[in-house]
Amino acid sequence: MNIVDLATLTGACVIALGDDIAGLWTGDESVAGQIAQASEAAGEKFWRMPMEEKYFEGLKSGVADMKNTGPRPGGAITAALFLKQFVKETPWAHLDIAGPVWTDKENGCNNSGATGFPVRTLVNWVEGSRGDRNREGI
C-alpha cells in the first residue's frame, strides 16, 4: 500500500518551481519512479525535491510535539517533513500542486481556471499499479 497526498500546501513551492511544475517529495525510490513515469505519460510536470532531515529542526517546539510551520527558508521542504511524521513507514509521496493547479490563461489542454492537475498523473499511476498486480497474479 502507498499513500499519496496532494496539496496546494506552500507558496514556497510556487516560488521554487513556478506555475507549471509541481513538487514531489518521497523517500521511496519505487514510488518516485512510478510517479515520474505516470506524470511523463500524462504530460504533467513534477520535480523531485529533497527531504533534508536537518530542516526538521525548524519544526521542533519546546511546548508541543512539533510546530505546524517552520522557518521561511526551505518552507516547502519543512512542510513535506511535517506531513512525513504522520505516515510512519508506509511508502508515501507528497505532491505540492500549488503552481499548476490554476492558470489565468489557456495553457495547452487547460482552459483558464482550475486545471485538474494532477488527475491525469494519478490515473496513470493507479492504472500502472493495477497492471503490476495483474502481472503478479494479485
Side-chain angles (χ1 to χ4, degrees):
M1 179 177 80
N2 298 311
I3 295 175
V4 63
D5 74 78
L6 315 168
T8 55
L9 196 58
T10 66
C13 194
V14 177
I15 298 303
L17 300 176
D19 292 329
D20 298 317
I21 304 169
L24 162 64
W25 285 263
T26 183
D28 188 287
E29 296 301 320
S30 176
V31 170
Q34 291 168 22
I35 291 174
Q37 186 176 17
S39 69
E40 187 174 327
E44 295 176 328
K45 296 179 182 178
F46 287 88
W47 189 262
R48 187 161 179 201
M49 302 291 279
M51 295 285 289
E52 181 61 48
E53 293 293 336
K54 176 183 173 188
Y55 288 14
F56 187 75
E57 292 293 318
L59 295 172
K60 291 189 175 175
S61 170
V63 295
D65 293 339
M66 67 180 153
K67 297 186 287 184
N68 68 348
T69 186
R72 188 166 187 220
I77 297 170
T78 54
L81 290 169
F82 175 83
L83 295 171
K84 181 183 173 199
Q85 304 310 302
F86 299 95
V87 296
K88 307 295 181 210
E89 300 300 318
T90 303
W92 158 81
H94 163 57
L95 309 178
D96 191 328
I97 59 173
V101 78
W102 185 268
T103 186
D104 291 328
K105 59 184 177 181
E106 188 173 324
N107 183 7
C109 65
N110 295 316
N111 294 321
S112 62
T115 64
F117 188 100
V119 171
R120 292 182 292 271
T121 294
L122 295 177
V123 168
N124 287 345
W125 186 43
V126 169
E127 290 283 325
S129 296
R130 187 174 66 195
D132 291 344
R133 286 192 302 269
N134 288 340
R135 282 190 291 277
E136 295 170 5
I138 297 175

